[in-house]
Amino acid sequence: MCMCVYVYIYIHTHTHTHTPKSTTAMFFAEAGCLFLGFRTNISQARIICVQGKPNSICALKGSSVNLPCSHQHPTARNSWYTGHLTISKIMFSADETHVKYSMSAESNFTLTINNLTERDANFYCCIKTADRSKCQQSGIHLQVTELQVKVIPATEGQTVTLMCSSSCPLTEKPAAYIWYKNREFLYEDWSPWYQELLSSEEAVTYSCAVKGYEDLRAPEVSVDSITETCFSVTYAKGRMCSSQQTSVDESCSITYPREIHVQRTPAEHRGHIRLTCNSSCFLTDPLISFVWYENRKPTLMEEKQILVSSSDPDSLSCAVKGLEDVRSADVCVNDSCWMLNYVHSRICALEGSSVNMSSKYSHPDYKQIQSKCWYKVKRNAEEEAEQLTEDADHVEYDDSMKTQHILRLKKLKRDDSAEYRFTITTEYEEVKQSDFPGVTLIVTELRVKMSPSAVVTEGQRVTLTCSTSCPLTDNTNYIWYLNSRPLTLNQNKHLILDPVSREDAGRYSCAVKTNKDISSAPKTLTVQSITGTWTPAAAGVSAALLVLILLTVFWWIRKKRTSSQSPRGEISDTVQQYESFSAPLAEEEPNYSEICLSKNKTETIYSTIQPFQPQEQDHHPSDVVDLRNKTGSELNDQAVDT
């Protein structure tokens, strides 16, 4: 990989002292190359590349970091040095209780730095001699950052959104971001974007952390007030508070504008104009300072007003320090310059949907544009930006408008979450790509969350939320489904069941009204009652048991009736007994019956019973009993006698 550094030497040709130019050295981890250029009003930057290893590492303050030795075959002669303009050798302490630096040959001379602080941010190199040029070529630029909750105004009404951010992209990709509300765990997700849009809540604080580094939380913030033009934020401590304060551990409250723009006015000095970083929010807060950008690159100017030459060919923009995400549009000092603005800088879109990213640009009349394209900037600093080529199924370019270019992504996947930048190539092979952040896209799925849980007791208050990993950009109406049937009474992100009943149990899912075909996975709500748990599964089992019981009762009744209509004898091994024996009624005709007396299956004796004569002889009930009690042989003898 090629290691590059932009070194701009600004040769100021204007005479006014209030138009400062600066010498800046910047390392770009994404490019991985050393760009050495000299910028004047007439010369172009020149690029020099030297071979090297990944040159930038960003780590959290308070954590530990491992820096690999860049030498191909490191030996005991290699030593670690640190510094920029001058370098010094790192000394290792024998005190193992407070080890700042450690290194061993077993780890291939990897340098470990513990408990990082801002003072550790520097260049590090693993070389044999104290050669500053070699250190700059093969060294590693270590950046140390803290997490910060950024408060950014949203386009939807008087609301704001939160972002868990750092001053440089963390080299170790976060496993997840954890959000806290009033110091209590709220949720964790892969996206650094807070899931909800917020209104003002003075007594509510928010913080975030990276999973695995929960003890390195961002300072707490609270949103005090939000109006149409301004919003006020209180920070518990940290870098967002001005350096004018005596300690970074002190809290501060800052009022920010929701929008900002550059205002041009004539200046008292001939050949100059005055530029003011202005907004509809009247900013008198002493903690407020500004950032000015020239051709989308930050300068050292921090005043609200600056003077520039009216012949300056550059484009300028500004932002409030600490709220660089809300930047003004580029403006030209004269009538012809390079300008590049994005319609939306942050977009939250549903997985499976489509999204448009728009850039508006202008260029000097004497410049002829050869090509226009978009780049996908990877989160991993070691990966190069990916140029997007048109694909009918996924990527489309819309260049039908003269000064606007649109990137359309279709069938979005979670892997499409990234930063996208627009690039213009002129006839002189000059690439005008904005070093200022482009459009941040977060692709999210829909999920149903249930509070307090998915298993509740009848009579409780239950809140169902159609959750996303980021707040959807457009004003959104939702559709709720219960057991795949739409609920027409609710179009909000939250569905409240108060009080919940057994009829509310079932499988819930949600969708966005503009994308009905994209819905969440169903989630089951279980409602417990005093007698037990009521769920759709329990209802099905209960119905099945009821049907089984009814069938059993019906079968028993039918069997009993059949048994009474068709009596059968119960035969033992030696004796055959009769289950019933009844005399015919007097009104009926004489009836003859057959008695089968058998000692085994092969021997059967038949006997005819004398016809019943009620007038001549009455049978006493005891005769019947005696007859029933006779054995088979006795009955046989009696039948023979008859």
Side-chain angles (χ1 to χ4, degrees):
M1 178 182 289
C2 191
M3 182 180 68
C4 304
V5 176
Y6 262 118
V7 180
Y8 284 101
I9 300 180
Y10 294 93
I11 301 177
H12 180 41
T13 58
H14 308 312
T15 58
H16 200 276
T17 57
H18 291 87
T19 315
K21 303 286 182 177
S22 62
T23 301
T24 309
M26 295 177 291
F27 274 78
F28 287 90
E30 294 166 359
C33 294
L34 177 64
F35 293 88
L36 181 60
F38 301 93
R39 182 197 184 279
T40 66
N41 287 338
I42 57 175
S43 63
Q44 300 296 330
R46 189 165 56 93
I47 299 177
I48 302 175
C49 287
V50 295
Q51 294 300 318
K53 292 209 170 182
N55 63 315
S56 183
I57 290 180
C58 179
L60 286 175
K61 178 183 177 181
S63 66
S64 299
V65 66
N66 295 322
L67 305 181
C69 183
S70 59
H71 200 278
Q72 292 183 352
H73 303 288
T75 64
R77 294 178 56 192
N78 285 80
S79 299
W80 276 95
Y81 294 84
T82 182
H84 179 41
L85 296 179
T86 60
I87 62 174
S88 59
K89 186 176 181 180
I90 294 177
M91 306 303 295
F92 298 94
S93 173
D95 184 6
E96 297 183 356
T97 59
H98 298 87
V99 177
K100 181 65 177 179
Y101 304 102
S102 62
M103 183 190 69
S104 64
E106 290 78 9
S107 62
N108 204 24
F109 297 95
T110 295
L111 174 66
T112 300
I113 308 176
N114 300 304
N115 193 20
L116 290 173
T117 65
E118 292 88 346
R119 291 183 298 178
D120 295 318
N122 213 326
F123 291 93
Y124 294 82
C125 56
C126 177
I127 54 180
K128 295 181 180 180
T129 59
D131 189 330
R132 184 173 62 88
S133 61
K134 288 185 178 179
C135 192
Q136 290 180 346
Q137 291 179 10
S138 60
I140 298 174
H141 183 202
L142 174 62
Q143 298 172 279
V144 180
T145 182
E146 289 183 280
L147 291 179
Q148 181 68 54
V149 176
K150 281 189 177 181
V151 184
I152 305 170
T155 57
E156 291 80 6
Q158 296 182 18
T159 58
V160 295
T161 184
L162 306 181
M163 190 78 73
C164 191
S165 67
S166 55
S167 58
C168 55
L170 295 174
T171 302
E172 181 183 353
K173 184 178 180 180
Y177 291 90
I178 302 175
W179 283 93
Y180 302 89
K181 185 176 181 179
N182 292 333
R183 301 183 181 180
E184 298 291 334
F185 172 85
L186 190 59
Y187 74 89
E188 71 173 55
D189 198 359
W190 64 271
S191 169
W193 207 342
Y194 187 69
Q195 295 176 351
E196 302 277 352
L197 295 176
L198 300 180
S199 301
S200 57
E201 297 174 296
E202 292 187 17
V204 179
T205 62
Y206 295 89
S207 180
C208 66
V210 172
K211 190 173 184 179
Y213 300 91
E214 288 83 355
D215 55 333
L216 304 177
R217 296 187 191 180
E220 296 176 351
V221 303
S222 61
V223 182
D224 301 331
S225 64
I226 304 176
T227 65
E228 294 181 357
T229 58
C230 307
F231 64 97
S232 180
V233 181
T234 295
Y235 300 93
K237 60 179 181 177
R239 59 184 170 86
M240 297 299 287
C241 295
S242 174
S243 58
Q244 298 176 8
Q245 296 191 177
T246 58
S247 173
V248 294
D249 293 329
E250 293 182 9
S251 63
C252 62
S253 296
I254 303 177
T255 299
Y256 294 111
R258 293 178 60 87
E259 294 181 359
I260 198 166
H261 61 274
V262 175
Q263 182 179 1
R264 296 175 42 167
T265 55
E268 298 82 1
H269 301 276
R270 184 178 178 182
H272 289 76
I273 62 173
R274 185 184 304 276
L275 300 181
T276 305
C277 196
N278 213 344
S279 74
S280 55
C281 181
F282 186 68
L283 300 177
T284 58
D285 196 323
L287 299 180
I288 290 292
S289 56
F290 298 86
V291 180
W292 284 91
Y293 300 89
E294 189 176 62
N295 296 330
R296 295 162 299 281
K297 297 178 180 65
T299 68
L300 297 181
M301 298 178 288
E302 295 186 353
E303 297 82 9
K304 185 174 182 178
Q305 292 184 345
I306 61 173
L307 290 177
V308 295
S309 171
S310 56
S311 60
D312 196 327
D314 299 323
S315 64
L316 289 100
S317 60
C318 69
V320 173
K321 193 171 185 178
L323 192 65
E324 289 84 358
D325 294 86
V326 181
R327 185 177 66 99
S328 73
D330 284 344
V331 296
C332 285
V333 177
N334 54 38
D335 295 332
S336 181
C337 73
W338 284 104
M339 286 198 311
L340 177 60
N341 298 300
Y342 296 102
V343 176
H344 297 289
S345 58
R346 293 168 303 277
I347 298 177
C348 177
L350 284 178
E351 190 172 350
S353 66
S354 300
V355 69
N356 290 341
M357 285 174 269
S358 300
S359 65
K360 293 183 177 180
Y361 62 91
S362 67
H363 58 88
D365 296 335
Y366 61 89
K367 297 285 187 179
Q368 297 298 321
I369 295 178
Q370 297 294 321
S371 65
K372 290 168 278 190
C373 64
W374 288 78
Y375 280 84
K376 178 181 179 181
V377 181
K378 302 294 184 67
R379 293 183 176 181
N380 190 337
E382 297 183 11
E383 298 183 40
E384 295 183 357
E386 174 190 354
Q387 182 178 346
L388 299 179
T389 56
E390 288 196 82
D391 178 4
D393 295 330
H394 188 52
V395 179
E396 283 186 3
Y397 284 164
D398 184 355
D399 196 21
S400 58
M401 291 168 280
K402 184 178 180 181
T403 59
Q404 185 171 354
H405 197 274
I406 298 175
L407 167 65
R408 181 176 294 110
L409 297 180
K410 301 183 293 184
K411 300 178 183 178
L412 289 173
K413 305 180 292 294
R414 179 171 164 178
D415 185 57
D416 292 321
S417 298
E419 180 188 332
Y420 294 84
R421 295 180 182 178
F422 180 60
T423 300
I424 301 172
T425 305
T426 69
E427 60 181 342
Y428 299 107
E429 303 287 329
E430 181 183 10
V431 177
K432 287 289 182 181
Q433 181 176 351
S434 172
D435 296 319
F436 195 85
V439 180
T440 299
L441 172 66
I442 298 293
V443 180
T444 178
E445 62 178 356
L446 294 172
R447 299 183 301 272
V448 174
K449 290 187 176 180
M450 298 179 177
S451 178
S453 69
V455 179
V456 296
T457 304
E458 191 173 11
Q460 279 187 272
R461 175 188 173 96
V462 181
T463 301
L464 281 68
T465 302
C466 194
S467 177
T468 54
S469 296
C470 53
L472 294 176
T473 304
D474 298 325
N475 291 323
T476 308
N477 290 324
Y478 294 84
I479 303 174
W480 283 94
Y481 298 91
L482 174 57
N483 297 328
S484 301
R485 296 182 178 179
L487 301 176
T488 58
L489 299 180
N490 191 291
Q491 293 185 349
N492 297 324
K493 186 173 187 175
H494 304 282
L495 176 63
I496 299 176
L497 306 176
D498 187 17
V500 68
S501 63
R502 294 188 302 173
E503 289 74 14
D504 295 322
R507 293 163 60 85
Y508 285 87
S509 59
C510 64
V512 174
K513 200 168 185 180
T514 54
N515 292 279
K516 295 182 180 179
D517 55 332
I518 303 174
S519 62
S520 69
K523 188 171 183 179
T524 300
L525 175 66
T526 301
V527 181
Q528 294 179 341
S529 63
I530 299 176
T531 57
T533 302
W534 183 264
T535 64
V541 172
S542 300
L545 288 175
L546 181 61
V547 172
L548 182 61
I549 292 172
L550 292 175
L551 290 175
T552 303
V553 171
F554 176 76
W555 174 81
W556 181 79
I557 294 174
R558 181 165 183 174
K559 180 179 179 183
K560 187 173 181 181
R561 288 180 178 177
T562 305
S563 175
S564 63
Q565 293 175 0
S566 304
R568 300 184 66 89
E570 187 174 325
I571 304 174
S572 65
D573 291 339
T574 57
V575 181
Q576 180 177 359
Q577 296 181 346
Y578 294 88
E579 290 181 337
S580 63
F581 185 89
S582 60
L585 299 177
E587 295 79 13
E588 293 179 348
E589 291 294 329
N591 193 336
Y592 294 89
S593 299
E594 288 184 346
I595 299 178
C596 175
L597 304 176
S598 174
K599 295 181 180 180
N600 53 54
K601 294 182 180 180
T602 59
E603 182 182 359
T604 304
I605 301 177
Y606 296 92
S607 177
T608 304
I609 299 177
Q610 188 70 23
F612 176 69
Q613 298 178 359
Q615 295 180 352
E616 296 180 1
Q617 183 178 359
D618 291 334
H619 291 279
H620 194 272
S622 60
D623 295 337
V624 178
V625 174
D626 292 341
L627 180 60
R628 290 178 178 176
N629 292 334
K630 290 180 182 294
T631 63
S633 59
E634 292 174 341
L635 288 172
N636 187 35
D637 294 340
Q638 183 176 346
V640 172
D641 294 341
T642 304

